[in-house]
Amino acid sequence: MPAPIISDLFASLDDKAPFSSGSDTADSKEPSIDFVAGIPDYSLLPRKDFGQAAQELMDSDDSFEALRYSAYEGIPSLRRAVARWRHTDVSNVFITNGATQGIFLSMSALLNPGDTILVENPTFPFALKTFRLFGLQVETVPLTGEGVDLDALESKLQSGRQAGKRYKALYTIPDFHNPASVSLPGERKRALIELAERYDFAIIADSPYRDLWFDHQPGEFPQEQRTAEHDGRLLEVGTFSKTLGPGWRVGWIITDRVRVKQLTSFRRRLDAHPSGVAQSIIAHLLDRPDDWFARQVDYERAAYRRKSELLYSALQDGVGDFARIIKPEGGYFQWLVFDERHDPANPDRAKALAAANVHLVPGDVFYPHDHGSHAARLAFSHLPEADLVEGTRRLAEALR
Ligand SMILES: Cc1ncc(COP(=O)(O)O)c(C=O)c1O
């Protein structure tokens, strides 16, 4: 396949997001309840601490580092803080403009336009948009209750090999999947790396929700991959968007040291580096001696867990007789699979939901090629508890 011409890609772009947040439905009397946006509860964010850290930074000599052009791979203090938090070596950490850029840079490091990328079915639609913009072919691997289906992946790799087809990369969301909320346990992470070694492909592991576990911290990829010098198989994409707010635009990639250097050299030509001010404020907070970040994340975890449990039990009462309700163990999302008669994408049901002014994401947008999932994603993260209950009441009534 010929490489796409970038200017043609630009010309063909539309501004439609894969889905948009619910806005008030014109003729509904009810105020809108928006289960769409995958955003934090802004009331949980420590704005006072942010302000104080910003002031301290600007009053100190470190303001110089924050305001000047700085290291392409990210400022040293933030790389150190991320390495400490994520239990790796500072030389394996590369700072990004959020996970979105982490996905873009990982893809750019591994693939050429025309190559095929493997993704889970379902997957995160904004990543799909990036892959398609770059001119990649997308093929899918099923998802199980424990993350990507390793048997199906192996069969695909095997038949690809027999047909002379090369898969260079898999994009996966291993912890508290968006949208399906499932996680790949530690031993399956190790098995995935073994597959990657056997079939010679790399793994882009996008994990924005990892810190927001409810009862159990998710298992890690093998540590030898996370601290590799070279020839690693793994690019772990992380972000502060879900814990400190997406407006910071600060995230990271953890990968082998040679690849960190390659990313640095690529980034030098692309956008230089993420905001030094944002990086410095976050580094300052993560360096506080009072375990500031661990305490902040604990506090958020408890709040999201409460919201998730409330929504889960309201849904069991409201739609339990016609939907499979997958219990989240962390993250922001509740995934539901309805029976065909109660599919929210059915035009009559969609009309009833709009009239009730309750908004969700119909499941099909998460499937690159398939239709008819009868599924839906509900974000519980940002909604007040009363809205979770009232939203479920309206949802159940509209779908019945
Ligand atoms: C799976 C996944 N990857 C990446 C992102 C984007 O994160 P960021 O705001 O850090 O770019 C999101 C946010 O919704 C996400 O759910």
Side-chain angles (χ1 to χ4, degrees):
M1 177 188 152
I5 309 293
I6 296 295
S7 60
D8 286 353
L9 284 173
F10 262 76
S12 70
L13 294 182
D14 63 55
D15 276 335
K16 265 191 269 126
F19 44 83
S20 49
S21 281
S23 51
D24 276 333
T25 311
D27 48 1
S28 173
K29 290 188 191 65
E30 312 268 27
S32 163
I33 295 183
D34 175 20
F35 283 110
V36 173
I39 51 175
D41 177 340
Y42 292 108
S43 73
L44 301 176
L45 299 185
R47 283 175 300 162
K48 265 211 181 99
D49 293 345
F50 291 160
Q52 193 188 339
Q55 189 65 55
E56 282 170 15
L57 173 69
M58 289 305 157
D59 289 344
S60 77
D61 291 343
D62 292 345
S63 59
F64 178 64
E65 187 186 38
L67 293 168
R68 71 183 169 95
Y69 288 114
S70 56
Y72 302 118
E73 64 273 39
I75 62 170
S77 55
L78 185 60
R79 292 178 73 210
R80 276 196 304 272
V82 170
R84 211 170 44 237
W85 179 250
R86 291 293 296 114
H87 309 291
T88 184
D89 192 273
V90 61
S91 54
N92 293 93
V93 176
F94 177 88
I95 303 297
T96 63
N97 269 304
T100 301
Q101 193 189 36
I103 297 167
F104 176 82
L105 291 175
S106 302
M107 170 195 75
S108 309
L110 299 170
L111 297 145
N112 292 312
D115 285 345
T116 300
I117 189 161
L118 293 169
V119 305
E120 290 152 341
N121 205 30
T123 190
F124 175 51
F126 288 88
L128 280 180
K129 284 207 142 198
T130 304
F131 301 148
R132 287 179 168 145
L133 170 71
F134 198 66
L136 299 183
Q137 307 293 312
V138 171
E139 289 188 28
T140 60
V141 183
L143 197 63
T144 70
E146 293 199 309
V148 63
D149 183 334
L150 295 176
D151 294 333
L153 174 61
E154 181 157 20
S155 315
K156 190 164 192 85
L157 294 162
Q158 222 159 35
S159 47
R161 184 172 272 180
Q162 278 156 10
K165 174 154 195 169
R166 171 91 204 279
Y167 294 108
K168 291 184 187 165
L170 165 77
Y171 168 76
T172 173
I173 306 155
D175 308 307
F176 315 123
H177 191 276
N178 178 5
S181 215
V182 297
S183 299
L184 189 70
E187 72 277 10
R188 287 168 60 85
K189 287 184 166 120
R190 179 169 288 280
L192 177 58
I193 294 286
E194 283 163 11
L195 272 185
E197 278 168 351
R198 217 161 339 124
Y199 289 90
D200 189 21
F201 67 94
I203 299 157
I204 304 173
D206 177 20
S207 188
Y209 306 95
R210 186 183 165 87
D211 289 325
L212 298 174
W213 45 272
F214 299 155
D215 290 320
H216 307 287
Q217 195 161 7
E220 291 278 20
F221 279 99
Q223 194 62 7
E224 61 272 17
Q225 278 290 323
R226 306 189 61 252
T227 53
E229 175 67 39
H230 54 77
D231 295 327
R233 293 286 164 188
L234 185 64
L235 294 95
E236 279 184 309
V237 175
T239 183
F240 290 106
S241 292
K242 307 299 171 182
T243 48
L244 299 183
W248 292 101
R249 308 312 301 137
V250 176
W252 62 86
I253 298 172
I254 295 171
T255 189
D256 74 58
R257 294 169 205 176
V258 170
R259 198 169 268 130
V260 166
K261 292 205 174 97
Q262 288 167 342
L263 288 166
T264 306
S265 158
F266 184 67
R267 135 78 69 68
R268 192 174 153 201
R269 293 159 174 84
L270 184 73
D271 66 341
H273 58 73
S275 155
V277 175
Q279 290 185 76
S280 299
I281 294 173
I282 293 180
H284 186 83
L285 287 164
L286 265 67
D287 278 348
R288 269 172 55 159
D290 58 352
D291 274 341
W292 179 87
F293 189 54
R295 287 190 295 115
Q296 175 61 26
V297 170
D298 264 353
Y299 168 66
E300 293 176 17
R301 243 179 239 141
Y304 292 134
R305 178 180 194 228
R306 229 174 17 249
K307 289 186 190 217
S308 170
E309 282 178 354
L310 185 66
L311 177 64
Y312 180 76
S313 79
L315 286 168
Q316 276 187 316
D317 293 342
V319 302
D321 52 334
F322 55 83
R324 195 154 55 84
I325 310 164
I326 288 87
K327 194 169 196 299
E329 290 175 359
Y332 278 7
F333 303 114
Q334 173 66 63
W335 184 238
L336 296 156
V337 185
F338 293 91
D339 67 28
E340 194 171 345
R341 228 163 53 79
H342 297 90
D343 182 359
N346 167 307
D348 288 338
R349 309 280 176 207
K351 229 159 93 198
L353 287 169
N357 219 357
V358 59
H359 305 272
L360 47 72
V361 189
D364 284 2
V365 304
F366 300 99
Y367 291 85
H369 308 300
D370 307 333
H371 297 283
S373 65
H374 314 313
R377 190 195 78 180
L378 270 53
F380 51 78
S381 48
H382 66 291
L383 284 175
E385 295 184 7
D387 280 10
L388 296 172
V389 175
E390 170 60 12
T392 303
R393 187 193 65 76
R394 285 193 222 165
L395 177 78
E397 209 173 274
L399 293 183
R400 240 169 234 290

